[in-house]
Amino acid sequence: MTFRKIAIGTVVLAGFSGSASAQDVAAGETAFRKCQPCHDVGDAARNKLGPILNGLDGRKAGTVDGYDYSEANKNSGIVWSEVTFKEYIVEPAAKMPGTKMMFSDKNETEIADLWAYLKQFGPDGKKK
């Protein structure tokens, strides 16, 4: 009986984890509208209140040319990935004390969708 409960629990958990990791690029594009006052992406992207987010996946924090980063960002040692982005966006000041970033998002689905949208832009602003 215990084995059966474990097996059922495993199947249920696997079902939940599969849906939790689903990412929707179109929903991410919509979510990015909240970011647009400060950030830009695409071939015509420019630095605003925040740096451009082209090529974010795998980029070292604090390295976009022409943007005046906080010392905290430049010295954070963070390399952006899905994991570091998700940790950061929930509470930027906790992940990187001294950051200029004030916006946060605690909606896990929206964050996953936003990452799916952002990671499609290469360093040149073209979609991969």
Side-chain angles (χ1 to χ4, degrees):
M1 179 109 163
T2 302
F3 177 74
R4 182 174 182 211
K5 287 181 183 178
I6 292 171
I8 290 171
T10 302
V11 169
V12 170
L13 183 60
F16 282 124
S17 66
S19 63
S21 66
Q23 297 177 340
D24 183 338
V25 173
E29 183 174 11
T30 299
F32 185 71
R33 290 184 186 139
K34 294 178 188 179
C35 310
Q36 282 181 312
C38 298
H39 296 283
D40 216 353
V41 292
D43 3 356
R46 59 183 174 79
N47 291 323
K48 297 179 176 180
L49 292 174
I52 62 170
L53 298 179
N54 292 338
L56 189 61
D57 190 17
R59 184 174 83 203
K60 186 175 184 241
T63 60
V64 169
D65 287 338
Y67 183 75
D68 183 28
Y69 286 97
S70 66
E71 288 302 312
N73 200 300
K74 289 189 278 189
N75 299 319
S76 70
I78 290 174
V79 175
W80 295 113
S81 67
E82 184 171 4
V83 171
T84 57
F85 176 80
K86 287 179 176 183
E87 291 171 351
Y88 181 79
I89 199 75
V90 169
E91 197 172 347
K95 179 73 175 170
M96 187 186 295
T99 185
K100 294 178 184 180
M101 175 87 159
M102 297 177 75
F103 174 81
S104 66
D105 191 339
K106 295 183 180 15
N107 181 315
E108 290 181 25
T109 301
E110 189 170 80
I111 293 168
D113 294 342
L114 182 56
W115 178 255
Y117 175 70
L118 292 174
K119 75 177 182 182
Q120 70 180 339
F121 291 94
D124 60 358
K126 305 239 184 281
K127 290 184 181 178
K128 299 179 189 175

